[in-house]
Amino acid sequence: MRQAGQERGCRIHGNLHWDWTCLRTNTLSLSWAGFRLCSVALALEVTVGKTNVVTALNGTDVLLPCTFTTCIGFENALFWWFYNGTKWLIKYTKKTTNPILTFSHPRVELPELTLGKENNISILLLSVDFSDSGQYFCKVKNPKEMNAQHNATLILNVVHELVKVDNTLTIIIVSAVGGFFGFLILVLLIKKCVLFIIKKTQEKKKECLVSSSGNDNTENGLAGSKAEQKSAPKA
């Protein structure tokens, strides 16, 4: 009933003077609704990129990518990396960009791209071997979003030799398609040239026919006049 009274008061007094109690209530309601909408649309989310599989050569260093997005920013956020869900690799906090390490495995480092960007929490795994293959979990906890948590999974495959991609089939297909279109263009050009030659030949034939017809008419006219001149003296 009180809420209904407040709403009626807003409607009644809206055209006469400001009802500050009603205005504050509506403003808070709109702010809370906007916050809820933002939380739904852009809640804390962690991702490892377009693909969650990373392949590395045995004995090399490999970057394990991970980034996160948040609606209202973060402060004193917590970040973890786990191996196979149980073994800790690194744990640290971030107020803005500078991380504060709590725990770090001897073969785990934070690369420069992690130190220079707020939302990048990738790690560098040094001198990987076959036993490092498995699942890696990147986890974020943001106290500023009511301790919201989210994580993403990445799979690392350590191999003895990187498989070279055979592009022979692709090259054959591209060459065949290119050859077909080239042949089609050549046929069209030949067709156009032949039609042009035929057209010119027909025009020349028409010109010859017109000129020969004119000559015949002239000769017939001259012969007729001579015959008339010869028959004229007879009286």
Side-chain angles (χ1 to χ4, degrees):
M1 293 296 291
R2 183 178 180 183
Q3 184 177 0
Q6 288 179 350
E7 292 178 354
R8 284 196 299 270
C10 289
R11 289 196 294 268
I12 293 171
H13 300 293
N15 294 330
L16 300 178
H17 59 81
W18 288 102
D19 189 337
W20 294 107
T21 303
C22 178
L23 182 61
R24 285 196 301 270
T25 303
N26 290 339
T27 303
L28 291 174
S29 300
L30 289 173
S31 300
W32 175 248
F35 175 77
R36 293 295 300 274
L37 179 62
C38 181
S39 299
V40 172
L42 297 172
L44 178 65
E45 183 179 2
V46 181
T47 179
V48 292
K50 295 181 179 180
T51 177
N52 66 334
V53 179
V54 175
T55 302
L57 188 64
N58 183 36
T60 61
D61 302 338
V62 60
L63 179 71
L64 303 183
C66 184
T67 58
F68 72 96
T69 56
T70 175
C71 177
I72 58 176
F74 68 93
E75 187 175 355
N76 296 325
L78 302 175
F79 307 96
W80 297 269
W81 274 90
F82 299 92
Y83 170 64
N84 284 340
T86 56
K87 184 178 179 181
W88 282 26
L89 294 178
I90 193 170
K91 179 182 179 182
Y92 63 97
T93 60
K94 262 187 178 184
K95 187 173 182 180
T96 52
T97 57
N98 298 322
I100 302 174
L101 290 176
T102 305
F103 171 81
S104 178
H105 191 276
R107 290 196 298 117
V108 175
E109 291 183 358
L110 295 176
E112 292 184 3
L113 57 88
T114 300
L115 299 176
K117 296 182 179 179
E118 293 183 358
N119 293 7
N120 197 318
I121 53 175
S122 306
I123 60 172
L124 188 66
L125 190 58
L126 307 177
S127 302
V128 296
D129 55 31
F130 299 109
S131 62
D132 292 325
S133 297
Q135 290 185 335
Y136 290 78
F137 298 88
C138 176
K139 184 177 180 182
V140 178
K141 180 180 179 182
N142 188 12
K144 199 172 182 179
E145 288 186 279
M146 301 178 65
N147 289 323
Q149 300 184 34
H150 195 254
N151 63 78
T153 304
L154 184 146
I155 300 174
L156 175 64
N157 294 325
V158 181
V159 297
H160 177 70
E161 183 179 0
L162 294 177
V163 178
K164 294 182 179 180
V165 179
D166 188 4
N167 295 324
T168 304
L169 181 60
T170 304
I171 294 173
I172 293 174
I173 294 174
V174 172
S175 300
V177 173
F180 172 76
F181 282 107
F183 176 75
L184 185 62
I185 293 172
L186 179 62
V187 170
L188 293 175
L189 289 175
I190 293 174
K191 181 181 178 181
K192 189 172 182 180
C193 291
V194 171
L195 293 174
F196 178 77
I197 293 171
I198 293 173
K199 183 179 179 181
K200 289 295 182 181
T201 304
Q202 290 177 348
E203 289 177 354
K204 287 183 179 180
K205 286 182 178 180
K206 288 180 180 179
E207 291 177 358
C208 291
L209 290 173
V210 171
S211 61
S212 62
S213 177
N215 292 333
D216 292 341
N217 292 333
T218 303
E219 291 177 357
N220 292 333
L222 291 174
S225 62
K226 288 180 179 179
E228 290 177 353
Q229 289 176 1
K230 289 180 180 180
S231 58
K234 294 181 180 181

